[in-house]
Amino acid sequence: MDPGNPKSSSGSRILIKQRVCLAVEQEIQTEVHEYEVTDEDYLEIANRLISFVSDVGLSFIHAVYNAAGIKPLGLLLLPAVSGVVLLKKSMYSSLRPLDALEQMMLCSECTTVEQFQYMHYAQLSQDADVCADLIQLMSVLVTLEQQSNEEFKYNIAKELCQLRSPDKVMSELVIDLMAGSDTPVYFVSTMSNCTDLYRTVHLLLEMLRLDNKNETKSRDTGLSKLMLSINHLFSSELGISIISECLQQQAVVRFSISRNLLLLQNILLER
């Protein structure tokens, strides 16, 4: 079939129409072959089947259109802000580097000490033992995240919205969560591999702060000048939207870590 040929296109439409009508007719005969129907019943069945075929066709066209729209077309590098824009036919995606906590939370299985040698967290890059302990702790928190059901997470969020103390909420929920479970034994044996658990938890609590002072002090003083030079890049509605989405992603990750750390604490205390 030649798409540029009008006769060919017309013939194709006629062929599709014939096949659709034949399929509808066959489906009607399948439904009514055991009994006689009136003309009104026949038309009602035909209209219902044609509507169904139309819905399926529209859904297929919509899926094809969306698949074509999200097809990557190219990359736009933003080295000044360490970002990448993935250009697509009908949209684009902004990509940014993961921070240390996001790396350990989202990619825990492939996180190693060597990956943090050049990061801005001085305690991670200078002390390999603490970094290894933190990776071990985060692997436990990730396991808790995967094992916690949505109802448990929802109940915690609901109670916190009512301004209840997180300690009281977690202590009440963890009793039901641990009933008949050998989870504490697993976590105790895993945490025993940490060389300095107190120092590791303290470091994690410091890193959970979005305005981490240790991180800011450890950065080169030239970073402030760099930030001043690129502030105009995020002053538009699009820039503000990107910043707010990044902040929301970081806040969600930190909330999950905080919830799981509190859960781990209560599990160990209840043991």
Side-chain angles (χ1 to χ4, degrees), residues 2-13:
D2 182 6
N5 189 340
K7 292 183 179 180
S8 178
S9 300
S10 176
S12 177
R13 287 195 294 269

Side-chain angles (χ1 to χ4, degrees), residues 16-69:
I16 292 175
K17 182 178 180 180
Q18 291 175 346
R19 289 180 177 178
V20 169
C21 292
L22 180 61
V24 171
E25 179 63 28
Q26 290 176 344
E27 190 65 26
I28 293 174
Q29 295 302 325
T30 300
E31 288 195 16
V32 304
H33 75 283
E34 294 183 353
Y35 56 91
E36 295 183 1
V37 295
T38 63
D39 292 342
E40 293 182 356
D41 294 335
Y42 184 90
L43 290 176
E44 180 180 351
I45 295 173
N47 288 332
R48 173 169 54 82
L49 292 175
I50 291 175
S51 297
F52 173 76
V53 172
S54 299
D55 291 341
V56 172
L58 290 174
S59 299
F60 175 76
I61 293 174
H62 183 70
V64 172
Y65 176 80
N66 285 340

Side-chain angles (χ1 to χ4, degrees), residues 137 141 144 170 191 197 200-202 204-205 208 255-268:
L137 174 59
L141 299 182
L144 281 173
M170 188 63 72
M191 297 308 301
L197 183 58
T200 304
V201 173
H202 179 75
L204 178 57
L205 293 176
L208 284 171
F255 177 78
S256 299
I257 294 174
S258 301
R259 180 189 62 221
N260 296 327
L261 186 60
L262 186 59
L263 174 58
L264 177 62
Q265 171 190 314
N266 279 269
I267 288 176
L268 296 179

Side-chain angles (χ1 to χ4, degrees), residues 96 240-250:
R96 63 173 177 84
I240 294 174
S241 174
I242 292 176
I243 291 177
S244 62
E245 182 64 25
C246 292
L247 184 62
Q248 190 263 350
Q249 292 172 353
Q250 291 179 336

Side-chain angles (χ1 to χ4, degrees), residues 209-271:
R209 294 168 54 96
L210 286 176
D211 58 340
N212 189 281
K213 296 180 181 179
N214 291 331
E215 177 189 2
T216 304
K217 291 179 180 179
S218 65
R219 295 191 181 192
D220 187 24
T221 55
L223 182 61
S224 298
K225 296 180 180 180
L226 173 63
M227 293 301 297
L228 289 175
S229 67
I230 63 174
N231 277 342
H232 66 281
L233 297 177
F234 297 98
S235 59
S236 64
E237 290 187 9
L238 175 60
I240 294 174
S241 174
I242 292 176
I243 291 177
S244 62
E245 182 64 25
C246 292
L247 184 62
Q248 190 263 350
Q249 292 172 353
Q250 291 179 336
V252 168
V253 169
R254 281 163 168 75
F255 177 78
S256 299
I257 294 174
S258 301
R259 180 189 62 221
N260 296 327
L261 186 60
L262 186 59
L263 174 58
L264 177 62
Q265 171 190 314
N266 279 269
I267 288 176
L268 296 179
L269 289 177
E270 289 289 335
R271 177 178 172 264

